[in-house]
Amino acid sequence: MLRQQDVGHRIVVRRIVGIREGRPQFSDALGELVELSETHLTLATAQGPLRVPVAQVHRAKRVPPTRRPTAAAVVALERAADEAWPAPTRGRLGDWLLRSAEGWTGRANSALPIGDPDRPLAAAVDAVERWYAERGQPALINTPLPLAAPVGAELDDRGWGTRPPTLVQTAPLPLPESTPASSRPDGWGSAVVELATAPSDEWLAIAAGRKGGLPDAARHVLTAVGQVRFAHVYADNALVAVGRGTVTGQGRWLGLSLIEVVPAARRQGLAHRVVHELASWGVSGGATHTFLQVEQRNAAAVALYQRLGFVTHHTYLTRVAPN
C-alpha cells in the first residue's frame, strides 16, 4: 500500500468501480500522487484531478516517472515564482528562503526549502519554527514535490498538517489562438482588456475580496516586481475581471496570478481573454514560457488552464506546524 513517502511520485491505482455478476469490476488510473489521507488519495492525471476513496483501492504502487522535470528545472521555476510574489520580510537559511508578509497568502508567508539549508534537516526545521515564532506567525513550509520529499517526511514525523495540493502549471509562449466555448458575440463581447503598470482601487478591492483583506504587505507583494502588469476588464463602467502578470526568472517566465472574474460575468470567456492579453504582453517583454499556481481542487480553473495548453510541471504542498 502507499505511504506518505510516495506523495509527489507517479503511481498506478487499480480501483473497484462496481460489481457485475458477483464479481468486482476494476479501473486503472495513472498519475502523480498529490494527497494521501486515511480515507482518500488524490492523483493529478492527464484528464484532471482524481480523488479515490481508500476503500475502493484494490492495489496501488509507485511506477517510474515519465518526462519529469529535472531538479534544476524545479528549482529555477520556484525561484522565478518567488520573484513574482515577493514577500517584504525575508531571511535565509543556507539556500532555503524564509518569507513573511503579515500573513497575506501562504506563498508569501512560508519557507521554501530548496537547496542546502547549511545544517542537518532537523535543525533546519527547528530554525524555521523559531524564525516564524519570533514574528508571531504560524510556521509554514512549501514543499515542491518530489524535490522536497525528504523535508515532507521530516514534517510528517513532527505532526505537521497539510493544506490542499497546489499544481504548478506551465505552457510555452505564445499561447495558441483560440476562442473559448463559453464566449458569445453579444453582451461581454465588447469588453476590452486594459493593462496598467499599477492596480486601480477597484482592482485592489477584487483582490482583497478573494484573498481576505489587503494589508500593507500585500501591496508590496503585488507591485514590487520590475516587470508587472495589471489587467482590467470593464463593462458598463464596472470592473468585471482582473489579472496580474509578471516577468521574472531572468526574463524567461511570465507569471500569472489573481485571474478573477466577478460572479455575474463568469462563463463568458473573460478569464480566457485576460490570460491571452497578459501572455501577449509577456511575449513582447521576451518571456518564452508562462506559469501559474492553482489549487488542485479548483476544478473550474484547472479545466480553463488545460484548454489554454497548461500542463502540470510539479506540485507543492503547504505544510503547517502543529499548534
Side-chain angles (χ1 to χ4, degrees), residues 264-285:
R266 288 174 184 166
R267 292 180 292 277
Q268 307 301 328
L270 296 182
H272 183 284
R273 290 165 59 184
V274 166
V275 169
H276 267 276
E277 194 68 27
L278 289 169
S280 296
W281 168 76
V283 169
S284 70

Side-chain angles (χ1 to χ4, degrees), residues 223-234:
T223 62
V225 183
Q227 296 187 71
V228 61
R229 290 295 184 273
F230 297 88
H232 301 68
V233 182
Y234 290 94

Side-chain angles (χ1 to χ4, degrees), residues 48-49 93-94 100 120 133 141 144 148 174 176 192 199 241 250 258 271 275 303 305 316 322:
L93 201 64
S100 175
I141 298 181
V192 176
Q250 297 181 325
L258 287 169
V275 169
Y305 299 135
Y316 74 76

